[in-house]
Amino acid sequence: MTTARALTEQALESAVLGMYTDVAAQPDKEYHFWSGRPAAERFGYRAEWLDAAPLPAVESFAGVGNPHLHLEVPSGATIVDLGSGAGLDLFIAARRAGPTGRAIGVEMNEDMLRKATALARERGYATVEFRKGRIEEAPVADGCADVVISNGVINLSFRKKKVMAEAFRVLRPGGRASLTDVVSESLIPDSIRNDPKLWAS
Ligand SMILES: C[S@@+](CC[C@H](N)C(=O)[O-])C[C@H]1O[C@@H](n2cnc3c(N)ncnc32)[C@H](O)[C@@H]1O
């Protein structure tokens, strides 16, 4: 990798880390994207899912859509969430999979990870675990997942093909992926792609 590219990627990643540290620690702050319960309601999350989930996970929700909307989560399913943030989607999926299911979140931001892990422990989500890692090299075994979800994360990666390859690697044959993300219908100019603030949003 050229030095210039490495430096740009470093700056982009540090902007992404900073942005979601803020979302973990200060969910009430005003962001330029929808967040928290109002965002989840806008995306059609069922009230009973939000009411049952840990409140701090709802408050720090920063997804861009609703991966549960058209998704069946069979009882006993193993779910992997790529870029799990404060954990809302994983807590919902874990309840849907029931006590014989398993739910694994992969997250690179220490503050999000700490928050989600504490919530799982404090609220008795025994089937939920959050692992520190990058979604480009997810710390999850091949073929272990019945369901892969991801919400608002792939757009933040500069190795999107690798992320998709990882989603397929961790899925078992016949498993399902439900990915909600931001897409652009036209090529984004370098002036935007290389601006850490715009990338992180
Ligand atoms: C927009 S937030 C969405 C979080 C969560 N999916 C939700 O719906 O609330 C993006 C999250 O992905 C994490 N993230 C971004 N790029 C990542 C990467 N390459 N590997 C792992 N996590 C990443 C960020 O730290 C942040 O917590």
Side-chain angles (χ1 to χ4, degrees), residues 73-79 91-103 127:
V73 178
S75 168
T78 294
I79 304 114
F91 291 127
I92 292 172
R95 289 181 82 91
R96 296 180 73 193
T100 57
R102 193 160 177 224
T127 62

Side-chain angles (χ1 to χ4, degrees), residues 16 20 61-63 83-85 89 107-109 112 133-136 151-153 156:
V16 170
Y20 293 101
F61 170 68
S84 42
D89 285 323
E107 173 57 53
M108 73 174 182
N109 181 300
M112 282 293 194
R134 283 165 210 281
I135 59 174
E136 296 82 356
N151 193 353
V153 187
L156 298 171

Side-chain angles (χ1 to χ4, degrees), residues 25 65 128 157:
V128 175
S157 172

Side-chain angles (χ1 to χ4, degrees), residues 13 16-17 20-21 23 33 45 57 60-65 67 81-89 106-110 112-113 133-137 150-158 163 180 200:
E13 182 165 312
V16 170
L17 284 168
Y20 293 101
T21 285
V23 178
F33 47 82
Y45 279 66
S60 287
F61 170 68
V64 299
D81 185 2
L82 297 175
S84 42
L88 176 63
D89 285 323
V106 176
E107 173 57 53
M108 73 174 182
N109 181 300
E110 297 267 8
M112 282 293 194
L113 205 59
R134 283 165 210 281
I135 59 174
E136 296 82 356
E137 281 138 18
S150 184
N151 193 353
V153 187
I154 300 171
N155 71 95
L156 298 171
S157 172
F158 19 84
V163 176
T180 46

Side-chain angles (χ1 to χ4, degrees), residues 49-186:
W49 291 343
L50 299 175
D51 292 341
L55 181 60
V58 178
E59 289 171 342
S60 287
F61 170 68
V64 299
N66 182 346
H68 308 279
L69 208 53
H70 304 293
L71 180 67
E72 258 179 58
V73 178
S75 168
T78 294
I79 304 114
V80 171
D81 185 2
L82 297 175
S84 42
L88 176 63
D89 285 323
L90 207 57
F91 291 127
I92 292 172
R95 289 181 82 91
R96 296 180 73 193
T100 57
R102 193 160 177 224
I104 302 165
V106 176
E107 173 57 53
M108 73 174 182
N109 181 300
E110 297 267 8
D111 298 285
M112 282 293 194
L113 205 59
R114 216 174 295 121
K115 180 165 186 160
T117 302
L119 288 172
R121 195 182 50 241
E122 287 159 13
R123 312 295 167 99
Y125 280 84
T127 62
V128 175
E129 73 173 289
F130 294 94
R131 297 182 183 172
K132 180 162 167 55
R134 283 165 210 281
I135 59 174
E136 296 82 356
E137 281 138 18
V140 181
D142 294 356
C144 73
D146 301 290
V147 175
V148 169
I149 56 175
S150 184
N151 193 353
V153 187
I154 300 171
N155 71 95
L156 298 171
S157 172
F158 19 84
R159 288 157 65 206
K160 295 176 174 52
K161 282 188 187 160
K162 183 71 170 79
V163 176
M164 294 308 290
E166 281 297 88
F168 282 95
R169 179 185 66 76
V170 306
L171 267 182
R172 69 163 172 75
R176 297 285 170 93
S178 182
L179 314 174
T180 46
D181 224 297
V182 180
V183 292
S184 169
E185 288 178 341
S186 56

